[in-house]
Amino acid sequence: MKRILGLAVCLAMLITMFSGCSAPSSVAATTVATQAASPTETVAATPLATEKPKPVTFTMFRSTANPGQDLDSSTPVSKKVQEITGVTIDWQFPTGDFTEKVSLMAASGDLTDMMYCQEASKILYDAKSVIQLDDYISKFGQDVKRLYGDDVLKMARWSLDDPHNYFLPTGGVKELPLTNQDNDNGFLLQLAACKALNYPKIKTLADFESAIKTFYAQNPMIDGQPAIPYSLCFDDWNGIFSILNPIGSVCGDNGDDGEYRVDLTTRQATFRYTLPEYKEGYRWLNHMNDIGLLDPESFVQKFDQYQAKIASGRVIACNDVVSWHINSAIDSLKAAGKADRAYAIFAPSLDGKIVYNGNARGMWTSRDGVMISTKCKDPERAFKFLDWLCTDEAQILNHWGIEGVDYTIQNGKRTWTDDYYNRDTNAQGDFHKATGITNFGWPFPERARGSLDPNGDYYLPYYDDARIFATKTPAEQEVLNGYGIKLWKQFLPDPSKVPTNPWGYGWTISLPTDSKGAIAETACMDVVHRDIPKLVLCKPAEFDAQWDAFQKDLTDAGVADANAAKTAEIDKIYKLYND
Amino acid sequence: MNNSLRTGRAGSGICFNIVVYAWMVFIGAITLYPFINVLALSLNTPYDTVRGGIYLFPRVLTLSSYTNIFQTEGLLNAFTISVIRTIVGAVTTVFCSTMLAFVISRKDFVLTKFISVLLVITMYVSGGLIPSYMLIRNLGLMGSFWVYILPNLVGVWSVLVTRSFIDKLPPSILESAKLDGVNDFKIYIRIILPLCIPVLATMSLFAAVWQWNQWIDTYLYNNSRPELSTLQFEMMKMLLNIESLARLAKSGNTKSTQFLTNQVSPESIRMAMTIVATLPILVVYPFLQKYFVSGLTLGSVKG
């Protein structure tokens, strides 16, 4: 007994001795930076371009990781960045909800040198943990000014009360939506159905309905199981993508302003569920339920059950986002050889008059970005690095790669091999990990996809329509050809023709927490979640009465306060952008 | 007349037994079913899992989820760190807790009552997230392996249970040892510890399981040292991704959700990760079971 005890204690002591000696193995950073608060090398402000710069490591917190990227500093592109600027970045990521982590960092003062934390940026600002960038921009930010333009930098100021720049906005500057990609959401109808009905024109909801009805009548069973004509999912937040946004698009709002419609001239915000068009939109859903085309389980099924139905190929039509929301189900269909049970993406109008609004509004950029914290020992060097990232040289290096290795110049234009294009689209592959391309892309300053440099060449690799078409399955391509188009986005209005609104994206403009307006907004959304099922599932004769009850519930929940608060906030941002 | 059901000890016993057994089987089945379900999902091909309908048995058997997990960078390292911290943590916790229990069980120690009260207070009241964080940081434990061990050296519940156990030992043993001129440390090692084996086994099991399951200290303190990540933390990262997706979606940030496109692992992989994280402890449990049972009944027998 004594021996066993003695052995156990010896073993424990040996293990503790050796565990203390472990060297960091998986992090191949050339310099080791342990925690955020520990000092990094301070360097005098050396001009980056002339002599070989002294190496420095900056720690950076990023709110979301992308497992397709390995932000290892040993990739070729990262090495090149180190060579040119001397800068290595030591990344830190949170797990799950990052708001808590950011609050903790702000409270304890354990900040990283640079931070990107999306909507939690406000926490850092309130804790006075980030520095103003105005002086740096005017002294060292020539390339920052070139990339963003003075108008965007003006819009990127924090607020009217504090009209200074605290962040360099993240996201392609003034990028047109759906660049480098196809439309991925809308009213979906099975490819097999489109083919069987000989490519019917789906211009209105009535067309959509009759297509479903006809195909269902012809095919009550699919693969030995009963077919489901039209299925929806209202499970918690999934309902946004299955019901709320699609009906919104049909009624003319694509979610750019969140749950509001904001008038372009008066900038008056109206909670969209009070608008008359929505009454007709939900009346159509009610009608679908009445004629038996709506899946009776729509409002009770969980997202997994909904996805299982889609993956079995039984759902003839639904509304959703194929690229990421139901992508597991779509991939499952492709893997089982049932690619024709995947979907065609339509943009029907409510009644032929209101234009379907999906992803059509031009983007200026976002209201948050990379910030430099007060804990950074050498903010000037950090800012100069950010400025370097805005140069053409850096943009090309970080998105195209190294000349001769990753891309070549053909006919005076940068070209990737087809292999590179394929690997780039398949983000889960080893592409970004092997080359290091996009390690310094998002969330750092980026040119818009599709934008041209002074030589007329693309800044970022560009996927023209033919290339995107080539990534689709044969079944999808067949249907696209049947409709005479190359991509689903051709059903949408041309983004360059849609007026950009002078307050940016309304959904980024949040109401101050715990204000009357914010509470009213939450209460109204609760009412929406409660009453939509009732609206859709009641008898058509009762619909008008239910709608009136719904409107009354909204008024009681304080929709007027929400509207007023939102209008006030949008007005503030408008003044900030346009004073 | 049906004697066996109405009269006689054997008769009423059978009826009662049938009901009891049926009830136990039912409870056992309900408790076991989710675990078997997780196992079945983990052994099924990811694409097939999406189609739903997997309950007790996998439909398309494959080990690809497991190979996928073990190919994840840093997982083997995390596994090693978890094992090391479990063993080291359990041993050190038991050692320190029993030492403290021995000290406060001695009647001639002046501060017995005082320390006991302090310990009990900590069971009810705790500092909260930010003060704990500040404390660990000021102690210099951030980004180090010792943050897993040092703050957890004394488990108050273990101390109190051990103390009550030691109290039940006949005091004559201690007196005779003292008379023989044995110093306190030797009394502790040679007399008390061997007598406390049942308690030790229970305590070490609890401590080991607790250490194995901890992920929040990795999250808070060792975020900057990925080589010190534990298995549970890696699992949490995988499982919590879907929550950050939900939050983004709810806030209307559908543009950012594109960046999370490939981040939510398929269900099979998440289930496989769950199995990998629970299996080691499951394997160890049967061997320590007899100590566990006797340890639970420790305080119940008087005299």
Side-chain angles (χ1 to χ4, degrees):
Chain A
M1 187 56 235
K2 221 164 56 161
R3 276 225 301 213
I4 298 178
L5 198 63
L7 276 175
V9 175
C10 278
L11 187 66
M13 290 208 316
L14 281 174
I15 292 178
T16 52
M17 269 182 2
F18 284 118
S19 73
C21 298
S22 62
S25 51
S26 55
V27 177
T30 50
T31 54
V32 175
T34 48
Q35 57 184 90
S38 66
T40 57
E41 281 179 50
T42 47
V43 188
T46 37
L48 288 171
T50 54
E51 54 199 59
K52 192 159 178 4
K54 286 224 204 95
V56 71
T57 303
F58 289 116
T59 48
M60 167 125 177
F61 175 85
R62 196 172 103 175
S63 49
T64 47
N66 186 340
Q69 284 177 304
D70 184 0
L71 299 169
D72 197 346
S73 342
S74 66
T75 56
V77 166
S78 302
K79 286 221 183 74
K80 195 92 171 100
V81 170
Q82 279 166 31
E83 198 184 297
I84 300 176
T85 62
V87 171
T88 313
I89 298 276
D90 199 27
W91 297 91
Q92 272 192 31
F93 300 101
T95 301
D97 189 357
F98 58 81
T99 322
E100 205 177 79
K101 189 85 204 298
V102 173
S103 312
L104 200 58
M105 288 171 90
S108 63
D110 263 342
L111 306 157
T112 53
D113 296 323
M114 294 192 275
M115 306 201 55
Y116 171 68
C117 34
Q118 296 171 297
E119 56 270 19
S121 309
K122 188 165 186 315
I123 299 177
L124 292 177
Y125 172 79
D126 289 336
K128 298 202 184 351
S129 310
V130 287
I131 62 177
Q132 275 184 20
L133 300 176
D134 295 39
D135 290 336
Y136 292 110
I137 294 178
S138 52
K139 274 196 275 193
F140 309 113
Q142 287 75 23
D143 293 294
V144 166
K145 285 196 260 204
R146 235 185 97 236
L147 187 141
Y148 285 110
D150 283 328
D151 54 343
V152 172
L153 283 174
K154 180 170 160 199
M155 287 197 268
R157 293 174 303 172
W158 190 264
S159 67
L160 273 182
D161 302 322
D162 190 2
H164 299 284
N165 287 312
Y166 286 87
F167 58 87
L168 292 184
T170 292
V173 183
K174 296 190 184 154
E175 180 177 288
L176 284 178
L178 294 182
T179 315
N180 277 13
Q181 63 185 99
D182 191 10
N183 186 23
D184 61 358
N185 70 87
F187 283 70
L188 312 177
L189 184 64
Q190 264 189 5
L191 296 169
C194 295
K195 192 169 161 191
L197 299 173
N198 204 22
Y199 314 112
K201 289 256 175 296
I202 313 272
K203 288 273 186 281
T204 63
L205 285 182
D207 296 335
F208 190 61
E209 181 189 332
S210 71
I212 302 175
K213 208 190 297 183
T214 323
F215 188 70
Y216 183 51
Q218 293 169 0
N219 299 279
M221 303 282 277
I222 294 182
D223 294 334
Q225 286 178 306
I228 301 172
Y230 187 48
S231 189
L232 303 173
C233 180
F234 207 53
D235 175 21
D236 198 20
W237 56 274
N238 297 291
I240 298 178
F241 301 103
S242 183
I243 300 180
L244 300 182
N245 275 356
I247 298 291
S249 293
V250 154
C251 299
D253 300 302
N254 74 339
D256 277 348
D257 288 326
E259 305 290 354
Y260 297 86
R261 173 171 303 173
V262 186
D263 187 280
L264 266 176
T265 34
T266 64
R267 295 184 300 284
Q268 180 74 25
T270 319
F271 196 63
R272 58 184 182 169
Y273 300 95
T274 57
L275 298 169
E277 303 90 277
Y278 282 75
K279 185 173 178 184
E280 299 315 311
Y282 285 103
R283 194 194 296 274
W284 178 78
L285 274 184
N286 182 287
H287 169 65
M288 290 293 273
N289 182 44
D290 181 49
I291 56 178
L293 289 182
L294 184 66
D295 181 3
E297 290 177 358
S298 292
F299 289 97
V300 293
Q301 62 185 346
K302 292 252 156 248
F303 182 65
D304 287 336
Q305 294 166 285
Y306 168 71
Q307 212 177 54
K309 285 180 187 165
I310 295 181
S312 66
R314 296 194 284 149
V315 177
I316 298 176
C318 61
N319 315 324
D320 221 308
V321 188
V322 297
S323 63
W324 66 270
H325 197 223
I326 54 173
N327 61 327
S328 314
I330 304 288
D331 289 340
S332 176
L333 284 171
K334 289 185 193 163
K338 294 198 217 167
D340 61 335
R341 297 283 170 210
Y343 297 98
I345 304 172
F346 293 103
S349 159
L350 177 64
D351 50 6
K353 291 195 284 281
I354 300 180
V355 177
Y356 182 95
N357 191 349
N359 281 328
R361 204 175 260 173
M363 183 179 185
W364 69 272
T365 187
S366 65
R367 276 213 66 72
D368 51 56
V370 178
M371 304 187 283
I372 301 182
S373 76
T374 47
K375 271 285 171 322
C376 181
K377 294 268 188 300
D378 195 355
E380 192 178 299
R381 183 84 190 265
F383 185 81
K384 284 189 176 157
F385 176 66
L386 291 174
D387 184 66
W388 175 80
L389 284 174
C390 298
T391 59
D392 287 2
E393 173 196 23
Q395 290 288 311
I396 294 169
L397 173 65
N398 288 317
H399 294 99
W400 283 96
I402 302 175
E403 183 174 346
V405 174
D406 298 308
Y407 72 92
T408 49
I409 308 274
Q410 287 177 15
N411 301 330
K413 299 269 186 264
R414 289 180 279 272
T415 333
W416 262 354
T417 58
D418 278 345
D419 177 50
Y420 261 64
Y421 278 110
N422 289 336
R423 287 163 73 196
D424 182 42
T425 341
N426 178 16
Q428 258 181 343
D430 63 343
F431 177 62
H432 298 115
K433 290 188 196 198
T435 56
I437 291 177
T438 68
N439 271 8
F440 294 97
W442 187 92
F444 290 114
E446 275 188 312
R447 290 271 176 189
R449 290 174 296 184
S451 58
L452 300 170
D453 68 6
N455 297 329
D457 197 358
Y458 289 109
Y459 270 116
L460 271 56
Y462 183 64
Y463 290 73
D464 57 16
D465 290 356
R467 202 173 280 284
I468 306 177
F469 182 79
T471 62
K472 295 187 186 283
T473 60
E476 205 173 341
Q477 287 175 347
E478 193 184 340
V479 173
L480 281 166
N481 287 335
Y483 279 103
I485 52 175
K486 270 260 168 306
L487 299 172
W488 300 117
K489 62 182 177 183
Q490 288 170 266
F491 283 138
L492 296 173
D494 181 2
S496 57
K497 298 219 173 36
V498 178
T500 46
N501 48 344
W503 59 85
Y505 274 179
W507 67 261
T508 61
I509 302 172
S510 51
L511 303 177
T513 36
D514 296 336
S515 66
K516 204 157 68 131
I519 298 175
E521 190 182 52
T522 321
C524 288
M525 283 315 293
D526 286 340
V527 168
V528 167
H529 277 275
R530 224 180 40 224
D531 285 1
I532 296 277
K534 285 190 232 165
L535 276 173
V536 175
L537 296 176
C538 70
K539 296 206 200 346
E542 296 165 14
F543 182 79
D544 287 321
Q546 279 286 352
W547 182 263
D548 292 333
F550 175 49
Q551 295 302 311
K552 182 170 178 312
D553 285 340
L554 281 178
T555 322
D556 291 340
V559 72
D561 293 329
N563 286 343
K566 192 79 177 184
T567 312
E569 291 300 316
I570 290 184
D571 217 39
K572 280 192 213 160
I573 297 289
Y574 173 78
K575 289 207 177 66
L576 179 69
Y577 290 178
N578 298 288
D579 70 358
Chain B
M1 289 291 263
N2 214 339
N3 279 334
S4 60
L5 282 180
R6 279 206 311 147
T7 60
R9 279 192 57 199
S12 57
I14 290 179
C15 203
F16 181 66
N17 282 346
I18 291 177
V19 172
V20 168
Y21 279 128
W23 184 240
M24 288 295 126
V25 167
F26 177 63
I27 299 278
I30 301 184
T31 340
L32 198 57
Y33 167 69
F35 192 75
I36 297 190
N37 185 244
V38 167
L39 189 63
L41 283 173
S42 70
L43 289 170
N44 202 49
T45 326
Y47 284 141
D48 190 68
T49 313
V50 180
R51 293 210 202 101
I54 310 249
Y55 299 113
L56 280 179
F57 297 105
R59 207 158 41 207
V60 184
L61 196 64
T62 177
L63 286 177
S64 66
S65 307
Y66 289 96
T67 48
N68 189 313
I69 287 185
F70 285 116
Q71 276 164 9
T72 312
E73 232 174 86
L75 204 90
L76 211 53
N77 193 37
F79 188 80
T80 321
I81 297 280
S82 273
V83 169
I84 293 180
R85 80 173 275 188
T86 303
I87 297 179
V88 171
V91 170
T92 50
T93 303
V94 165
F95 198 58
C96 294
S97 300
T98 47
M99 268 205 287
L100 183 59
F102 178 53
V103 165
I104 59 177
S105 75
R106 297 292 293 271
K107 302 287 177 296
D108 41 341
F109 181 51
V110 171
L111 293 175
T112 298
K113 196 91 197 301
F114 177 64
I115 294 186
S116 305
V117 167
L118 275 186
L119 287 177
V120 169
I121 288 180
T122 66
M123 280 176 82
Y124 293 106
V125 177
S126 116
L129 181 63
I130 297 208
S132 308
Y133 186 82
M134 300 291 219
L135 176 65
I136 300 288
R137 198 183 52 143
N138 294 336
L139 285 174
L141 285 175
M142 294 276 289
S144 117
F145 177 75
W146 297 104
V147 73
Y148 298 142
I149 311 291
L150 290 180
N152 308 314
L153 277 180
V154 172
V156 177
W157 182 81
S158 310
V159 168
L160 296 179
V161 165
T162 314
R163 186 194 62 174
S164 65
F165 187 79
I166 295 177
D167 280 345
K168 292 198 179 51
L169 296 176
S172 44
I173 297 186
L174 298 177
E175 280 167 15
S176 59
K178 270 273 190 57
L179 282 175
D180 286 343
V182 183
N183 72 22
D184 283 310
F185 197 68
K186 281 220 170 61
I187 293 183
Y188 171 63
I189 296 272
R190 294 196 187 192
I191 300 181
I192 302 291
L193 268 191
L195 285 174
C196 286
I197 293 284
V199 191
L200 288 190
T202 316
M203 272 168 43
S204 59
L205 188 64
F206 277 133
V209 171
W210 188 86
Q211 284 281 3
W212 181 260
N213 286 337
Q214 276 297 95
W215 64 273
I216 206 143
D217 44 13
T218 317
Y219 175 50
L220 287 175
Y221 309 123
N222 277 346
N223 223 346
S224 51
R225 296 271 308 266
E227 67 272 16
L228 287 178
S229 171
T230 54
L231 190 65
Q232 297 292 338
F233 184 57
E234 294 295 324
M235 179 173 87
M236 266 303 156
K237 275 202 278 194
M238 219 181 264
L239 297 182
L240 282 180
N241 279 336
I242 199 163
E243 277 194 25
S244 58
L245 184 70
R247 208 180 37 79
L248 271 182
K250 270 196 222 187
S251 68
N253 194 344
T254 48
K255 306 286 189 277
S256 269
T257 47
Q258 287 173 18
F259 292 109
L260 290 180
T261 301
N262 292 315
Q263 203 170 359
V264 179
S265 317
E267 186 151 3
S268 284
I269 299 201
R270 285 186 278 144
M271 294 300 140
M273 188 77 198
T274 311
I275 297 284
V276 166
T278 38
L279 209 58
I281 291 286
L282 264 182
V283 164
V284 168
Y285 240 76
F287 297 106
L288 293 177
Q289 189 126 4
K290 58 173 177 183
Y291 298 114
F292 188 52
V293 171
S294 68
L296 273 183
T297 56
L298 259 182
S300 63
V301 178
K302 303 277 191 287

